[in-house]
C-alpha cells in the first residue's frame, strides 16, 4: 500500500488543483466533476512524468517532506493540465 500512496496523494491534490484552475478560468470551466477529473489525470501524469525522469522531490515513503512534495506536485500538475485544456479549448472556440 505504501508504494501507491504517493500517486493517490498526487491524484487527490490534482483534483484540488483542477478545481482551483477551473475557478480562476470560469468561462472555460468544466464544472466541479469535470475539473476534478482533469485534475486527477494531471496529478497522475505528474507522478508518471516524475518517475520517468527519476526525479525525487524530497525522498520517498511517508515522511512529511514526501507528502508535502506529493501534494504540491499533484496540485500543480492538475492545475496546469486544466489551464492547458482551457487554453486549447479557447483556441478551438468550443
Amino acid at each position: 500500500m505504501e508504494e501507491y500512496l504517493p500517486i493517490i496523494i498526487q491524484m487527490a491534490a490534482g483534483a484540488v488543483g483542477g478545481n482551483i484552475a477551473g475557478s480562476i478560468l470560469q468561462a472555460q470551466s468544466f464544472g466541479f466533476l469535470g475539473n476534478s477529473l482533469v485534475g486527477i489525470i494531471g496529478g497522475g501524469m505528474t507522478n508518471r512524468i516524475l518517475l520517468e525522469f527519476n526525479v525525487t522531490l524530497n525522498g520517498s515513503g511517508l515522511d512529511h517532506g514526501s507528502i508535502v512534495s506529493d501534494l504540491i506536485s499533484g496540485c500543480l500538475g492538475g492545475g496546469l493540465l486544466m489551464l492547458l485544456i482551457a487554453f486549447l479549448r479557447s483556441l478551438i472556440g468550443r
Side-chain angles (χ1 to χ4, degrees), residues 1-19:
M1 178 67 181
E2 186 174 322
E3 67 265 8
Y4 297 114
L5 192 58
I7 192 166
I8 291 170
I9 292 170
Q10 285 181 332
M11 290 171 79
V16 172
N19 280 301

Side-chain angles (χ1 to χ4, degrees), residues 27-79:
Q28 300 294 326
S29 178
F30 295 115
F32 178 76
L33 185 60
N35 294 342
S36 295
L37 289 175
V38 170
I40 288 170
I41 292 168
M45 286 174 45
T46 302
N47 183 35
R48 184 66 190 148
I49 290 169
L50 291 176
L51 288 175
E52 193 67 33
F53 291 111
N54 291 327
V55 175
T56 55
L57 298 176
N58 197 7
S60 62
L62 296 176
D63 59 348
H64 295 333
S66 295
I67 292 172
V68 169
S69 67
D70 289 337
L71 286 170
I72 292 170
S73 65
C75 192
L76 287 176

